[in-house]
């Protein structure tokens, strides 16, 4: 009876490739009433939203929008003004092996934004960092058994494959009205920004319930003498059910991003102790990904002890066997030196910080992530009623447990930023850095892909005195002499441990 090979299908998720790059975007807006008066930009901000990801043959095209903001002073005015503009992103990454049906993970972040006045226009130059990972599902057939002969020895290993099973996204609209104290004399919302944090992910009836928080920071123009702006911080909670099949809800993770934020100041209609309300409207995109794992007992080797020999074919598979996630928070303290000839530091009005990851290094099971913290501070100089600003880039390092690799997905956010004057020429800056990292752990398996009968096994009966080498075990010895593993174990005194340097007497 001829042998037959038993096979099982297994889907393997493979990394096709990853890319990182930068793009420089430009936006313009007319400055109302600009004439001969000098225009001084004090603070600029931008938020990038990637709207479309088009995976094509051999390339990936990203499209999105950068929403830009600037706060400036015109001429000798003490009050501040603001304006907005939009820049369009259209960037292509060449990626051999890319195909239209492949899942793609994309992230884009603003690394630097600069606003300057030119000929009646505010010109924004925005540097954005882009990264992507492209995956494919490859069906593989693994050999799980060989039938048709009782003279076969086989060795097996449990192969594991973790892969993306489903993903779903929902948009959530957040609206809030915050009463501003009358003493603030709020006039207008000049600039705003926000950071989104996912705080909980739980299976629920019909899907996954995601809880999180949007921390809104709004720069409000004030009519108070000597304090023309104030930074208002408002946390907004959200909770959304993302629909997903129940059988996929046990192993899920969620992310959220801020797509749009709009703040405005309106006259208060209810609170007698406030003369204005701050209206907040934000759109947050919540995404949930579900992963699933499959396992199979796959043959890694086989041989015949007598009768027809066995000719085997092998294959190498490298599936993802686990997804490791790490989170950490670390306080940052740094000193911001004011530029030469800058007005001396007095009262700090607002702080905006933006972390940019540079890279990471691994040591003894821990990873240190390094980067640059770009900070802008608005402050009132001592003895002056004109707002001044200072910018600086400060290095940061944050350590997480686990070992990241080149394919790890890392994000760092800065929250709760504050500053105060240490001396007239320097400020102390503090914030909390939150880092999240995801690493897909892969493992290489060498497995059987097929087997056929060959010529009869040729053995010369007798006694062999065998001196084991460092790589020998009962399997390799049995295969070399076409002896069953059980017989080798018996001749080794019933033990699976082969002692190097001690002769083994084999009866063939």
């Amino acid at each position: 009876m001829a042998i037959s090979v038993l096979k099982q299908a297994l889907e393997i998720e493979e990394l096709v490739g990853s890319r990182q790059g930068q793009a420089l975007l430009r936006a313009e807006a007319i400055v109302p009433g600009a004439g001969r008066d000098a225009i001084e930009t004090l603070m600029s901000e931008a938020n990038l939203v990637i709207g479309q990801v088009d995976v094509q043959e051999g390339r990936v095209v990203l499209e999105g929008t950068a929403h830009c903001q600037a706060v400036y002073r015109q001429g000798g005015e003490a009050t501040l003004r603001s304006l907005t503009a939009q820049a369009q992103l259209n960037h292509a990454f060449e990626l051999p092996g890319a195909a239209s049906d492949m899942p793609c993970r994309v992230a884009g972040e603003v690394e630097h934004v600069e606003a300057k006045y030119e000929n009646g226009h505010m010109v924004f130059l925005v540097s954005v960092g882009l990264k992507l990972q492209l995956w494919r599902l490859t069906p593989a057939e693994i050999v799980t058994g060989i039938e048709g002969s009782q003279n076969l020895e086989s060795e097996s290993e449990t192969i594991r494959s973790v892969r993306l099973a489903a993903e779903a996204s929902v948009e959530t609209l957040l609206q809030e009205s915050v009463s501003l104290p009358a003493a603030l004399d709020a006039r207008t919302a000049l600039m705003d920004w926000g950071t989104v944090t996912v705080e909980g992910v739980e299976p629920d009836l019909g899907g996954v319930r995601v809880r999180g928080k949007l921390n809104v920071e709004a720069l409000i123009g004030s009519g108070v003498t000597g304090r023309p702006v104030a930074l208002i911080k408002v946390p907004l909670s959200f909770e959304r059910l993302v629909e997903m099949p129940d059988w996929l809800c046990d192993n899920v993770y969620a992310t959220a991003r801020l797509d749009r934020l709009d703040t405005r100041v309106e006259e208060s209609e209810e609170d007698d102790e406030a003369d204005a309300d701050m209206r907040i409207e934000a759109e947050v995109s919540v995404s949930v990904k579900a992963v699933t794992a499959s396992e199979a007992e796959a043959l890694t080797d086989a041989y015949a002890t007598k009768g027809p020999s066995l000719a085997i074919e092998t294959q190498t598979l490298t599936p993802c066997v686990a997804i490791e996630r790490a989170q950490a928070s670390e306080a940052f303290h740094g000193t911001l030196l004011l530029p030469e000839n800058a007005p001396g530091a007095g009262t700090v009005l607002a702080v905006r910080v933006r972390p940019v990851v540079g890279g990471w290094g691994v040591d003894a099971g821990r990873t240190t992530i390094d980067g640059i913290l770009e900070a802008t501070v608005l402050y009132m100089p001592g003895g002056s009623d004109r707002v001044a600003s200072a910018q600086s880039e400060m290095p940061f390092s944050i350590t997480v447990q686990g070992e990241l690799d080149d394919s790890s997905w890392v994000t760092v956010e800065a929250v709760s930023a504050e500053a105060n004057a240490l001396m007239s020429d320097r400020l102390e800056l503090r914030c909390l850095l939150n880092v999240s990292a995801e690493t897909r752990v892969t493992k290489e398996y060498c497995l059987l892909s097929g087997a056929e009968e060959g010529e009869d096994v040729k053995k010369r009966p007798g006694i062999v005195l065998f001196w084991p080498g460092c790589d020998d075990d009962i399997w390799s010895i049995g295969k070399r002499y076409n002896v069953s593993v059980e017989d080798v174990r018996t001749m080794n005194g019933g033990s699976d441990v082969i002692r190097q340097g001690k002769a083994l007497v084999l009866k063939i």
Side-chain angles (χ1 to χ4, degrees):
M1 176 179 171
I3 66 168
S4 60
V5 175
L6 304 179
K7 292 187 176 182
Q8 178 178 329
L10 192 68
E11 282 192 318
I12 305 296
E13 190 175 75
E14 297 178 319
L15 178 64
V16 177
S18 59
R19 292 289 186 272
Q20 293 190 33
Q22 288 182 314
L24 183 62
L25 310 180
R26 178 186 172 96
E28 291 188 18
I30 297 175
V31 179
R36 296 183 178 180
D37 292 337
I39 302 295
E40 181 184 2
T41 304
L42 296 173
M43 181 178 276
S44 54
E45 172 64 15
N47 179 47
L48 176 67
V49 178
I50 297 178
Q52 183 173 349
V53 180
D54 186 12
V55 182
Q56 304 173 0
E57 295 295 325
R59 69 201 305 250
V60 179
V61 180
L62 309 180
E63 295 182 3
T65 303
H67 302 273
C68 308
Q69 308 173 78
V71 172
Y72 65 97
R73 178 171 44 230
Q74 184 167 331
E77 297 177 348
T79 58
L80 304 184
R81 305 187 184 194
S82 64
L83 50 74
T84 61
Q86 291 187 354
Q88 300 304 313
L89 167 72
N90 191 300
H91 190 84
F93 284 103
E94 300 299 323
L95 191 56
S100 59
D101 60 343
M102 294 179 180
C104 187
R105 186 178 190 179
V106 173
E109 60 180 7
V110 174
E111 295 183 342
H112 179 75
V113 56
E114 179 181 349
K116 57 182 179 180
Y117 177 74
E118 293 182 358
N119 300 322
H121 291 76
M122 188 69 74
V123 177
F124 293 87
L125 298 177
V126 184
S127 175
V128 298
L130 304 170
K131 60 181 180 181
L132 66 85
Q133 291 179 339
L134 191 65
W135 305 86
R136 67 178 167 217
L137 282 177
T138 303
E141 283 194 333
I142 60 174
V143 176
T144 58
I146 302 175
E147 293 183 338
S149 174
Q150 297 181 349
N151 304 314
L152 295 180
E153 291 287 315
S154 61
E155 189 177 46
S156 63
E157 182 178 2
T158 301
I159 180 173
R160 178 179 174 85
S161 175
V162 175
R163 65 190 187 281
L164 178 67
E167 57 182 325
S169 299
V170 296
E171 298 288 337
T172 181
L173 178 64
L174 304 181
Q175 295 177 312
E176 186 68 58
S177 179
V178 179
S179 296
L180 301 176
L184 178 60
D185 191 14
R187 303 293 178 84
T188 185
L190 297 170
M191 179 182 288
D192 50 44
W193 57 86
T195 55
V196 188
T197 304
V198 173
E199 298 180 329
V201 184
E202 300 173 355
D204 203 345
L205 184 63
V208 177
R209 189 163 297 278
V210 180
R211 294 179 292 102
K213 184 178 293 182
L214 169 64
N215 293 301
V216 176
E217 298 185 56
L219 194 64
I220 303 299
S222 167
V224 177
T225 302
R227 197 178 182 91
V229 295
L231 186 64
I232 306 298
K233 300 181 180 181
V234 181
L236 301 181
S237 298
F238 63 86
E239 184 174 306
R240 284 300 305 268
L241 179 69
V242 182
E243 294 183 358
M244 188 162 286
D246 292 340
W247 62 277
L248 289 174
C249 294
D250 291 334
N251 191 1
V252 297
Y253 64 98
T255 58
R257 73 179 189 192
L258 177 62
D259 287 344
R260 183 178 66 86
L261 177 61
D262 178 53
T263 58
R264 60 186 184 275
V265 173
E266 298 177 351
E267 291 186 3
S268 176
E269 298 177 357
E270 300 178 358
D271 194 340
D272 295 337
E273 297 183 357
D275 65 353
D277 289 338
M278 183 174 71
R279 308 284 185 180
I280 304 174
E281 187 172 285
E283 291 179 1
V284 174
S285 176
V286 180
S287 297
V288 172
K289 292 181 172 60
V291 297
T292 186
S294 301
E295 292 186 349
E297 198 70 16
L299 296 190
T300 58
D301 202 358
Y303 66 91
T305 57
K306 61 181 178 179
S309 62
L310 197 64
I312 63 172
E313 297 177 352
T314 60
Q315 63 178 337
T316 300
L317 298 179
T318 310
C320 173
V321 296
I323 299 177
E324 296 180 349
R325 296 186 178 92
Q327 292 184 326
S329 296
E330 195 167 302
F332 172 86
H333 298 268
T335 301
L336 189 154
L337 296 176
L338 301 183
E340 189 176 354
N341 300 324
T347 303
V348 173
L349 303 175
V351 182
R352 172 58 172 144
V353 293
R354 179 184 296 109
V356 179
V357 175
W360 51 80
V362 177
D363 182 28
R366 295 160 62 90
T367 301
T368 300
I369 301 169
D370 299 314
I372 295 295
L373 196 67
E374 186 179 83
T376 302
V377 179
L378 294 183
Y379 67 96
M380 295 299 298
S384 174
D385 61 353
R386 289 170 61 85
V387 177
S389 69
Q391 294 82 35
S392 179
E393 293 183 346
M394 293 172 282
F396 71 84
S397 293
I398 183 169
T399 300
V400 297
Q401 294 293 333
E403 297 185 356
L404 307 185
D405 57 31
D406 293 340
S407 66
S408 297
W409 197 265
V410 178
T411 59
V412 178
E413 289 186 335
V415 296
S416 304
E418 297 179 347
N420 62 278
L422 289 176
M423 300 175 64
S424 62
D425 65 343
R426 65 196 61 193
L427 301 166
E428 180 190 36
L429 188 143
R430 303 174 303 278
C431 68
L432 186 66
L433 295 177
N434 295 330
V435 59
S436 61
E438 178 185 297
T439 302
R440 305 178 81 85
V441 181
T442 60
K443 180 179 178 180
E444 184 176 281
Y445 296 90
C446 184
L447 309 173
L448 260 65
S449 59
E452 296 180 351
E453 287 185 348
E455 297 180 355
D456 286 352
V457 173
K458 297 179 181 179
K459 294 195 295 185
R460 299 179 64 182
I463 302 297
V464 174
L465 189 62
F466 180 73
W467 294 87
C470 60
D471 296 327
D472 286 316
D473 55 22
I474 61 173
W475 174 266
S476 64
I477 296 172
K479 184 176 182 180
R480 177 180 300 183
Y481 294 103
N482 299 104
V483 177
S484 70
V485 172
E486 183 59 36
D487 287 347
V488 177
R489 182 181 293 113
T490 299
M491 290 181 279
N492 192 43
S495 173
D496 286 351
V497 178
I498 298 297
R499 299 173 62 181
Q500 185 181 355
K502 180 180 179 181
L504 180 63
V505 179
L506 300 176
K507 183 179 181 181
I508 309 299

